[in-house]
Amino acid sequence: MFSLLLTAVFSMQASAMLPQSHSTSPATPVAVENVVSIQPFELEAPAKHLWRVEQPMVTSGYLLVLKVDPALVVPRQVAEPVLYVGHQTAERVNVGSESGHVIAILPAQIDPEKPDYLDLSEQLFWFGSPELPERVDAKRIAAEHQEAIAAGIRPFGAEKIATAMARGGLVNEKASKRDLIHDAMRRLVREYSPQERSLVEGVLKSRPAKRR
Amino acid sequence: MCKWFVVLIAAAAVFSQLSAPAGAQLSIDEPPPPPPFSMYFPTETELAGNSLGDFPHFEYVAAINEGSPVTFALDPTRFPANARALVDLYIVDDRSRTQWLSDRTLSDVRGAPQRVRLGANNIQSCTVVLTNSDTLSGDAGIGLGVGYDLVCDVNRNGRLDGNDLIDGFEGAAGFYVVHDLTQPGPLAVTETIYDVAVGTVTGGFEGENLFYPTNVSLMDRLPLIVVSHGNGHQYEWYDHIGLHMASYGYIVMSHQNNTVPGVQTAATTTLEHTDAFLGQLASIAGGILVGHVDTSRIVWIGHSRGGEGVAIAYDRIVDGIWSPVHYKREDIVLISSIAPVDFDGPASTNPHDAVFSLWTGGSDNDVSGCASADLLQTFHLHDRAEKWRQSISLHGVGHGDFHNGGGSSVATGPCLVGRADTHEIMRGYLLPLVKHYVERNLPARDYLWRQWESFQPIGAPTANPCVTVDLMFREDPALSFPVDDFQTEPTTGTSSSGGSVTFSVTDVSEGLLDDGNSDFTNDFADVMNGMTVGSAADTTRGIVFSWGSDSFYEQEIIPAERDLTDDVYLSFRACQATRHPNTIAQLGDLTFTVTLVDGALNESSIRIDAYGGGIEEPYARSGCGTGTGWGNEFETIRIRLTDFLNNGSSLDLSDVAAIRFDFGPSFGSSLGRLGLDEITISRDASPPLTGVLTLALLDDLTVIPPDVTTDIHVSITASSESLVPGSATMHYRFNGGVFATPPLIATGMPGEYSATLPAPSCGDTPEIYFSAEGSLSGQQTLPEDAPSSVFSSLVGNLSVNFADDFENDQGWTAENLGATTGDWQRGVPVNDPGWAYDPAADGDGSGSCYLTQNQVGNTDVDNGSVRLNSPTFDATGDLVLIQYFYFLRLTNTDGTDRLLVEYSSNGAAGPWTTLVAHQTDGGLQWRSHLITHEDILNAGASLSATARIRFTANDTGTQSIVEAGVDGFTVETAQCSE
């Protein structure tokens, strides 16, 4: 028993000393584990969605809190798995590799009365194959979508989405994309990914200026 | 030995006819001091450096680390007049040439000179460690290196005169003592974090982290360093750069970088933030930086995705896709990429003509350098840089070691260096890197190429056995002579410069420096195994070969380039081939011998490890296939050409016929496999500098009228420094001899100065140059390399014989030689908005010009040639100048398509002589060209009163775009009569 325990402890230490593998990421497609919170948003000033080739202008969408496999979002300089929701790429606001929570901005029509309304209960949430989002276009998204379906990834369903939307709250109206990101940092990253305090402080300039 | 005897006898014969100076003490064992005849200038030569154990036994250097002794050496076989001389050696505070000429008094900073008797046999016998030189101060304030001149006072009269030798007369100091570059500079630094205005950069990425000297309001304009972080990194993770560089007088701004979408978005944020910062200075840090940022000297540093982003950003400016508001392309004086990815390849990720530096970590577990993917290979960016480029590779350093955000080093492999020591190395190398390329600091250059094994910044972590540093350094190839860069002439028997190549080394292959498969596993079929400086889309080429016994690889130097007396270094880069059996068997620094052979077959050889270190073995990292050893790391070796002359080698540097590399047990490592590239004869040029004092000539000195004085005007722009009062000088001479030096006097017009040239006579050959001193940069000259280059004038009266702006028909004729489209037509350019290859306007501003088919649509030259013939003009005189503007848009620049310019001295009948073939693409710009009488005569034609020119544009072979134009054609001639 003692030797087994010793072996286990040694294995853990050895594991902790192993270099973090950055050049490889988990196999994709792989589903988002859970949708924790969804909040619709609207922007006064349209902003470009830089996370796909077409760079559409964004005036509304959803601010998402997603539970993910942390290994999928370890920051890499090489291509990373791309986060998709439906037929759109999602913009990640934080890193999430320690907390396993990714806060993301999903451009979408949020008005149910509009014909292009995006019903999240019918959408897939998944990580597709590694790529730079700026190089992903509609054709690539469609292909990734097909692969996700083939891999058995399914929508979360109305109940789960409704719960997440209830947690997210009413429409978040912001003047600009910057304000939206700062709001996401201030509230959501602090709550769901508190390990990223340094990132939040840097973005919000909440660290006191230094003099040396 | 006999040779020196003859020299001594000859010297004695001269001395016997001259009287000894008053008070001189002569003795039989002490040769008399040289006679007191006063030649105006001393002899300038290298004197300061370090002694070496093996031939060439001494290295002359620019930088000496503070606390290290300075050693004097003079080769008596090169300076036989000084053999056995009793001399006084002075270390003197650096003086400019002007200062030396105004004060020749020698004053040793050590309190007294050092009297020594030189030997006679070899350089070792004339090598002297300078006493107390290890106490010389290297405290240069915010500068790098305290300059000293080293004087060998041959006649021991305490004055610098024509008998003496000096290291540090023209321009640079003889040597520089350099302090610990890893330590902060003398300036207090203020750091602040803020947002630039919303809407001026990508939304949500407004943050900037700024470092500046606290007393910046009292300082001149300071260069700006912009830092663009990598993916998952933060803009506040570069304090080690910001604090260090700001303490030396730089403004450092690190910004939020939009890296997660990709490298293009990262490039956008770099471009946006550079402009936002410069445009919003009034609202940043209370406006303290207003008037203190030098927008003409900007450095971009990018890490990982940000490292690719800065190259893309520059490419966008080059391509005209992005137009900065507050700075220009040429203001980006250095791009430095730290562990960059290469997602977008040479079409987009391209530093082009920018000065480029690269940092690579051998243990990087993210941008790993493995052959499995192009985007992992940092060196691509380096090899795409067209001009100056430099690289530093650090074994055992991980991706995360380059920032100070804490967390993982993102490293794998043996003997990891760690973040703290990596930062010491970064501080110690970043400072000279920036100092050299931003300020043209000369001692800084030594740190960029001298082998780590023998020279490194004082505070570098040499006690850490894991630290291994490999350096690559290349000057602008246009300013040197590439003996073989392997970019052309793909056969192994001919160099790219056209010389023959012979060898007995084995397994020789020339080709793209790109691993042929996706791993580093040794594979004899993959001849470029381990090479990662190019991708399949790149063009960088080199050669690889092996040896297991004594063998050679020899490059002929073509006859036109054999005079190396004006050159400084033989330079090449080399690497070991990873996981090759020879590399594994050697497993250490690879050494070999380099030999110069002159036309009389005299030889001189130097083993590369004479200077310390050889070609480093690959980092012992496993993965990326089977076996151990990471990618092939090129290192640059530079050998001073005059080192080959030491100890009476008899080599004639004015006629070097071949460079031979000797390998094998008799010459170095007994076996090995080597990659070799960039075999170059270098002039040790520096990149052009922005932000420092510049001189520009306002008058045309091509022809100067006889028998009258001529006022010559120069503009002096002080830029970010100030003009040293009284230093502006014109230098002239009419028929060789000593230059006269009248001062340049301010004319009252802003920045304008003038001096009067006395009246020349017919037959005089005036030579003129100008000089002025900047408060920071020291003496600047016009031409830049004066007095080696000067303005040479012809004395005479210039007249225009023929001029045509093509507003009227003066008799030019168009001719079709089989082309299906593109006939020459005279008129105002149609500037077709639907055709991207035609000019917007004419070349000389008059309105009309000649163009190839000046019509809308696809109207370039196709399937043949079109010719434009001039009318007859008079091209006789002492001087003939034919000038014209030309437009040439080419999409095929391999030399097949071109605009050919031919000359006939016999009217339309010919024969026609080719004067020039324009075959480079000029984009949408008009360019000018000048043909002189010398060009005509050198081409074998004669000057004539019935001369003609013809322009022929052709599209041959595979069809491509050929659009050509001619405008502003003038013929001027000059005669002289008293």
Side-chain angles (χ1 to χ4, degrees):
Chain A
M1 182 65 180
F2 175 76
S3 85
L4 274 176
L5 188 63
L6 193 63
T7 304
V9 168
F10 184 78
S11 297
M12 284 172 65
Q13 287 177 336
S15 171
M17 290 169 63
L18 283 174
Q20 195 175 5
S21 176
H22 275 70
S23 53
T24 57
S25 54
T28 56
V30 58
V32 167
E33 292 178 359
N34 194 14
V35 55
V36 179
S37 166
I38 301 171
Q39 183 185 30
F41 71 82
E42 289 182 335
L43 301 178
E44 269 182 43
K48 266 186 191 171
H49 180 52
L50 300 172
W51 291 56
R52 57 182 293 173
V53 169
E54 297 86 350
Q55 300 193 353
M57 298 304 289
V58 182
T59 55
S60 64
Y62 297 101
L63 195 53
L64 309 172
V65 180
L66 307 173
K67 185 78 178 76
V68 304
D69 174 1
L72 286 160
V73 289
V74 169
R76 297 172 174 86
Q77 309 310 317
V78 300
E80 300 170 327
V82 177
L83 176 60
Y84 296 95
V85 177
H87 284 80
Q88 183 60 284
T89 54
E91 174 176 348
R92 285 155 48 192
V93 173
N94 69 323
V95 176
S97 58
E98 292 183 77
S99 64
H101 283 111
V102 165
I103 288 80
I105 295 170
L106 178 69
Q109 175 56 259
I110 61 172
D111 183 351
E113 304 300 318
K114 297 283 175 61
D116 55 345
Y117 167 67
L118 185 72
D119 182 355
L120 290 177
S121 67
E122 299 175 357
Q123 307 304 321
L124 309 185
F125 290 64
W126 85 102
F127 284 92
S129 56
E131 180 52 288
L132 295 179
E134 68 183 10
R135 308 208 292 194
V136 172
D137 60 10
K139 189 176 170 187
R140 171 75 179 255
I141 294 173
E144 294 281 349
H145 196 267
Q146 286 300 315
E147 287 187 26
I149 291 172
I153 296 170
R154 297 292 177 263
F156 283 112
E159 187 180 340
K160 216 162 212 178
I161 295 297
T163 302
M165 292 198 76
R167 187 172 290 133
L170 300 174
V171 175
N172 188 348
E173 295 179 344
K174 286 287 178 288
S176 68
K177 173 95 166 289
R178 170 185 180 271
D179 290 351
L180 182 68
I181 290 174
H182 283 206
D183 178 59
M185 287 283 176
R186 194 174 290 115
R187 295 186 301 113
L188 301 177
V189 179
R190 274 182 175 158
E191 179 180 355
Y192 291 101
S193 198
Q195 301 89 339
E196 296 182 70
R197 179 182 163 189
S198 172
L199 172 69
V200 172
E201 288 181 340
V203 172
L204 299 180
K205 320 296 170 304
S206 55
R207 252 195 294 278
K210 292 164 275 184
R211 183 175 289 271
R212 308 188 189 197
Chain B
M1 199 63 177
C2 291
K3 191 179 290 180
W4 307 134
F5 178 77
V6 171
V7 168
L8 288 170
I9 294 298
V14 171
F15 295 157
S16 66
Q17 298 171 37
L18 297 166
S19 59
Q25 299 295 313
L26 302 181
S27 66
I28 54 171
D29 61 347
E30 183 174 309
F37 58 82
S38 179
M39 289 172 61
Y40 198 66
F41 296 118
T43 299
E44 175 153 37
T45 186
E46 296 287 339
L47 297 173
N50 303 303
S51 60
L52 304 173
D54 298 318
F55 186 83
H57 298 292
F58 198 83
E59 60 170 351
Y60 295 106
V61 301
I64 306 269
N65 280 330
E66 193 172 38
S68 298
V70 183
T71 304
F72 162 95
L74 183 75
D75 184 355
T77 69
R78 291 178 56 205
F79 296 90
N82 301 108
R84 294 197 177 90
L86 187 70
V87 300
D88 287 340
L89 301 179
Y90 283 84
I91 301 176
V92 183
D93 284 324
D94 174 40
R95 296 181 203 170
S96 69
R97 183 178 192 275
T98 306
Q99 288 170 323
W100 271 120
L101 293 180
S102 63
D103 179 10
R104 292 163 175 268
T105 307
L106 296 172
S107 175
D108 197 298
V109 295
R110 299 170 296 174
Q114 188 171 350
R115 178 161 295 185
V116 299
R117 182 176 299 284
L118 303 178
N121 299 325
N122 51 37
I123 193 168
Q124 300 95 304
S125 68
C126 298
T127 298
V128 179
V129 177
L130 297 171
T131 54
N132 296 324
S133 57
D134 55 354
T135 64
L136 295 175
S137 172
D139 182 2
I142 62 171
L144 190 157
V146 176
Y148 299 91
D149 294 339
L150 181 54
V151 177
C152 179
D153 185 13
V154 175
N155 55 6
R156 307 191 306 280
N157 64 355
R159 288 177 54 79
L160 181 71
D161 51 39
N163 301 303
D164 299 331
L165 300 156
I166 178 170
D167 189 354
F169 184 66
E170 301 275 0
F175 65 93
Y176 296 82
V177 175
V178 182
H179 73 291
D180 183 352
L181 303 179
T182 68
Q183 292 301 304
L187 303 177
V189 174
T190 297
E191 178 185 3
T192 184
I193 299 169
Y194 54 90
D195 276 352
V196 292
V198 174
T200 58
V201 300
T202 301
F205 292 85
E206 290 84 0
E208 292 185 351
N209 189 5
L210 176 67
F211 306 82
Y212 59 90
T214 303
N215 66 347
V216 67
S217 61
L218 304 176
M219 304 179 76
D220 286 336
R221 288 183 294 161
L222 304 178
L224 171 65
I225 298 173
V226 176
V227 182
S228 304
H229 66 74
N231 193 38
H233 305 162
Q234 295 173 30
Y235 69 108
E236 297 166 283
W237 288 5
Y238 296 89
D239 287 14
H240 56 307
I241 292 176
L243 290 169
H244 193 60
M245 299 307 291
S247 73
Y248 284 97
Y250 295 90
I251 294 167
V252 182
M253 181 272 287
S254 176
H255 63 87
Q256 274 186 284
N257 204 13
N258 192 16
T259 59
V260 197
V263 291
Q264 294 289 342
T265 56
T268 300
T269 25
T270 297
L271 291 159
E272 291 173 339
H273 270 278
T274 306
D275 246 337
F277 177 78
L278 296 174
Q280 297 170 39
L281 288 177
S283 58
I284 293 171
I288 194 172
L289 300 181
V290 173
H292 298 287
V293 181
D294 184 352
T295 59
S296 70
R297 291 187 289 174
I298 299 172
V299 176
W300 278 344
I301 297 176
H303 186 187
S304 46
R305 286 193 189 178
E308 180 171 2
V310 291
I312 293 172
Y314 189 77
D315 172 78
R316 284 196 205 165
I317 297 173
V318 171
D319 289 350
I321 297 169
W322 190 280
S323 299
V325 177
H326 298 288
Y327 61 99
K328 307 182 296 298
R329 168 184 176 178
E330 54 268 32
D331 298 333
I332 306 300
V333 294
L334 170 64
I335 296 174
S336 185
S337 293
I338 304 170
V341 282
D342 181 24
F343 276 98
D344 286 358
S348 179
T349 306
N350 198 326
H352 294 281
D353 59 350
V355 177
F356 184 79
S357 89
L358 175 72
W359 303 73
T360 300
S363 297
D364 196 320
N365 195 28
D366 195 347
V367 190
S368 68
C370 175
S372 58
D374 282 337
L375 70 90
L376 302 175
Q377 297 168 17
T378 64
F379 291 102
H380 295 180
L381 279 68
H382 171 271
D383 267 42
R384 285 174 199 151
E386 299 158 1
K387 294 189 172 180
W388 278 270
R389 61 194 194 195
Q390 195 270 348
S391 159
I392 176 168
S393 306
L394 306 165
H395 289 191
V397 167
H399 196 86
D401 288 332
F402 290 111
H403 63 64
N404 70 349
S408 169
S409 285
V410 194
T412 189
C415 212
L416 298 179
V417 170
R419 185 169 280 130
D421 280 350
T422 301
H423 288 190
E424 289 298 335
I425 297 168
M426 289 181 77
R427 280 187 278 264
Y429 276 99
L430 183 61
L431 184 62
L433 178 74
V434 173
K435 284 283 181 189
H436 180 59
Y437 290 116
V438 173
E439 301 175 17
R440 204 195 280 169
N441 180 288
L442 285 177
R445 182 162 48 195
D446 275 25
Y447 294 88
L448 306 183
W449 68 268
R450 284 170 63 187
Q451 289 248 320
W452 164 269
E453 288 85 341
S454 60
F455 183 69
Q456 65 286 127
I458 292 172
T462 50
N464 183 340
C466 295
V467 173
T468 300
V469 178
D470 292 332
L471 299 170
M472 266 196 284
F473 179 85
R474 191 191 74 171
E475 300 157 41
D476 181 356
L479 301 179
S480 55
F481 169 55
V483 179
D484 201 347
D485 60 10
F486 302 93
Q487 294 304 113
T488 56
E489 296 291 352
T491 62
T492 54
T494 308
S495 70
S496 60
S497 62
S500 66
V501 179
T502 54
F503 51 83
S504 63
V505 291
T506 58
D507 305 321
V508 180
S509 289
E510 264 189 59
L512 182 67
L513 295 171
D514 181 25
D515 192 298
N517 55 33
S518 59
D519 59 46
F520 291 151
T521 306
N522 182 57
D523 177 356
F524 293 112
D526 180 8
V527 294
M528 291 294 174
N529 188 48
M531 295 293 186
T532 61
V533 298
S535 71
D538 286 302
T539 57
T540 183
R541 293 166 51 85
I543 193 166
V544 289
F545 49 77
S546 308
W547 70 91
S549 59
D550 285 353
S551 344
F552 72 94
Y553 179 79
E554 182 170 302
Q555 293 255 354
E556 178 201 19
I557 298 182
I558 56 175
E561 300 288 347
R562 288 180 179 175
D563 183 354
L564 309 187
T565 52
D566 284 341
D567 301 298
V568 182
Y569 287 104
L570 165 64
S571 175
F572 56 87
R573 67 173 181 175
C575 65
Q576 295 201 47
T578 194
R579 304 187 190 185
H580 189 276
N582 288 7
T583 302
I584 293 168
Q586 190 68 27
L587 211 58
D589 270 21
L590 209 58
T591 64
F592 48 88
T593 298
V594 183
T595 299
L596 296 187
V597 186
D598 69 18
L601 300 182
N602 296 309
E603 296 186 356
S604 180
S605 303
I606 294 175
R607 257 178 70 138
I608 63 166
D609 53 337
Y611 301 94
I615 305 301
E616 190 74 31
E617 72 270 27
Y619 175 50
R621 177 178 171 182
S622 56
C624 198
T626 58
T628 299
W630 212 241
N632 306 344
E633 279 184 22
F634 278 101
E635 288 185 86
T636 296
I637 302 288
R638 298 194 342 150
I639 303 175
R640 191 179 289 274
L641 289 165
T642 51
D643 286 359
F644 288 96
L645 300 179
N646 284 356
N647 292 353
S649 72
S650 300
L651 183 79
D652 180 2
L653 270 187
S654 70
D655 182 30
V656 176
I659 302 167
R660 192 176 69 241
F661 299 85
D662 286 305
F663 305 95
S666 303
F667 306 98
S669 302
S670 56
L671 72 173
R673 181 160 177 81
L674 195 78
L676 183 64
D677 192 16
E678 294 177 356
I679 304 168
T680 303
I681 301 297
S682 153
R683 288 198 165 180
D684 203 28
S686 294
L689 202 53
T690 58
V692 299
L693 181 145
T694 56
L695 300 98
L697 183 60
L698 300 177
D699 301 311
D700 184 354
L701 298 183
T702 312
V703 179
I704 294 173
D707 306 325
V708 293
T709 61
T710 302
D711 289 337
I712 298 176
H713 300 81
V714 170
S715 77
I716 299 178
T717 304
S719 298
S720 300
E721 54 180 346
S722 54
L723 170 67
V724 173
S727 66
T729 306
M730 179 169 81
H731 307 250
Y732 75 90
R733 61 185 181 187
F734 281 166
N735 293 296
V738 176
F739 283 94
T741 55
L744 284 163
I745 307 297
T747 64
M749 299 292 288
E752 186 179 289
Y753 296 77
S754 77
T756 300
L757 185 74
S761 301
C762 286
D764 283 346
T765 55
E767 294 177 306
I768 304 166
Y769 73 96
F770 308 89
S771 67
E773 285 185 41
S775 55
L776 299 174
S777 61
Q779 179 168 283
Q780 306 295 321
T781 61
L782 178 71
E784 193 174 335
D785 58 345
S788 297
S789 298
V790 294
F791 295 103
S792 298
S793 303
L794 187 84
V795 178
N797 292 300
L798 198 63
S799 61
V800 177
N801 278 10
F802 179 75
D804 199 341
D805 59 8
F806 301 116
E807 295 307 302
N808 300 295
D809 181 4
Q810 295 199 43
W812 293 71
T813 59
E815 191 178 350
N816 187 307
L817 304 178
T820 54
T821 56
D823 283 339
W824 288 98
Q825 293 179 322
R826 186 174 63 85
V828 177
V830 296
N831 189 21
D832 179 4
W835 182 240
Y837 304 99
D838 59 350
D842 73 336
D844 63 3
S846 65
S848 294
C849 60
Y850 261 102
L851 287 175
T852 49
Q853 197 163 349
N854 183 28
Q855 295 173 3
V856 295
N858 183 344
T859 57
D860 71 309
V861 181
D862 281 327
N863 303 305
S865 305
V866 293
R867 179 171 289 161
L868 179 64
N869 300 289
S870 81
T872 300
F873 55 83
D874 183 357
T876 58
D878 295 335
L879 172 142
V880 176
L881 302 175
I882 301 173
Q883 298 185 73
Y884 56 86
F885 294 101
Y886 72 101
F887 177 89
L888 187 58
R889 194 78 173 91
L890 296 175
T891 54
N892 174 10
T893 56
D894 67 0
T896 308
D897 298 339
R898 59 192 185 176
L899 177 63
L900 187 68
V901 184
E902 296 169 288
Y903 170 89
S904 163
S905 58
N906 186 32
W912 292 89
T913 302
T914 297
L915 296 181
V916 60
H918 301 298
Q919 52 195 28
T920 60
D921 174 41
L924 295 177
Q925 304 299 314
W926 285 86
R927 291 175 280 180
S928 64
H929 189 75
L930 170 68
I931 295 169
T932 70
H933 58 289
E934 289 179 338
D935 296 328
I936 295 169
L937 297 174
N938 289 341
S942 59
L943 304 178
S944 162
T946 57
R948 285 192 185 219
I949 286 276
R950 68 185 188 187
F951 297 88
T952 306
N954 71 286
D955 187 0
T956 305
T958 304
Q959 290 304 287
S960 57
I961 303 295
V962 179
E963 285 280 19
V966 174
D967 200 8
F969 185 91
T970 62
V971 180
E972 295 174 284
T973 62
Q975 307 276 5
C976 193
S977 55
E978 299 287 354

